[in-house]
Amino acid sequence: MKGFVREALTTILVALVIFLGLQTTIQSSIVLGSSMEPNFETGQRLIVNKVIYRFDGLNRGDVVILRPPSNSSVDYIKRVIALPGETVEIKDRLVYIDGEPLSESYISDPPHYTMKPVEVPQGYCFVLGDNRNSSSDSHIWGPLPLDNIEGKAWLSIWPPNDWGIAPKYFQD
């Protein structure tokens, strides 16, 4: 009987360690709203890497899950557009980073609004939704504190036709 109890406790302990390890490194997230269309759709489920930014820096083009500055209870999904120390401006239906137009083949409709130049302070980034004209993002509430980033969209797990690594578009 002692052996059985020891095996049961060991199994429970191992399961608990695995569970806690997964809870601190990944999470699932559901896309709500149209702000990231056409690349992410309402109801799409993602696995989010919560530890990547402890080992690797934030990059332009990363798709991140974040807590909006409005302290909403719902996480947002947005794309990193500008990094600390860069200046972002939106005019003539284009996004400019440090005066250079950003190549954005992943959006279906350019922004129909303008935004005066904003320098992104240290400890912040600038995020936009891929659906530029239907997104509550940094063009409305300003640069996002890096501490508000929950993690990087890593895998799409639902619906089945979207299974795979979450799309990332590189711009330099």
Side-chain angles (χ1 to χ4, degrees):
M1 187 65 167
K2 249 186 197 179
F4 173 75
V5 171
R6 187 175 318 139
E7 286 291 323
L9 289 174
T10 301
T11 301
I12 290 170
L13 182 61
V14 168
L16 184 61
V17 167
I18 291 171
F19 174 76
L20 292 174
L22 289 175
Q23 289 293 76
T24 59
T25 59
I26 63 172
Q27 77 180 38
S28 66
S29 184
I30 300 173
V31 176
L32 300 173
S34 62
S35 73
M36 287 298 286
E37 290 179 355
N39 301 299
F40 296 90
E41 300 176 3
T42 294
Q44 189 170 352
R45 293 179 184 267
L46 304 170
I47 298 294
V48 178
N49 184 332
K50 293 169 50 173
V51 297
I52 190 165
Y53 295 124
R54 292 183 188 167
F55 305 106
D56 189 23
L58 192 67
N59 296 297
R60 181 175 299 110
D62 286 356
V63 174
V64 295
I65 307 303
L66 58 98
R67 293 180 321 278
S70 63
N71 294 322
S72 168
S73 61
V74 177
D75 287 343
Y76 286 13
I77 178 172
K78 303 294 174 199
R79 187 176 305 277
V80 175
I81 299 299
L83 302 169
E86 296 180 329
T87 299
V88 61
E89 178 180 14
I90 302 171
K91 65 180 181 180
D92 303 325
R93 299 173 57 110
L94 293 171
V95 176
Y96 291 83
I97 304 297
D98 293 334
E100 295 295 319
L102 187 61
S103 173
E104 297 186 293
S105 60
Y106 49 86
I107 65 171
S108 58
D109 195 21
H112 293 219
Y113 52 85
T114 61
M115 186 188 80
K116 293 181 180 182
V118 172
E119 184 174 344
V120 180
Q122 291 302 312
Y124 288 76
C125 66
F126 194 92
V127 296
L128 293 174
D130 289 354
N131 186 354
R132 294 286 188 260
N133 300 301
S134 183
S135 179
S136 174
D137 51 33
S138 288
H139 91 274
I140 294 172
W141 28 262
L144 177 77
L146 295 177
D147 289 343
N148 285 37
I149 295 176
E150 297 285 332
K152 180 179 177 180
W154 179 37
L155 295 172
S156 177
I157 58 172
W158 189 262
N161 60 329
D162 289 331
W163 282 354
I165 295 177
K168 175 181 176 177
Y169 301 88
F170 296 91
Q171 308 91 3
D172 289 322

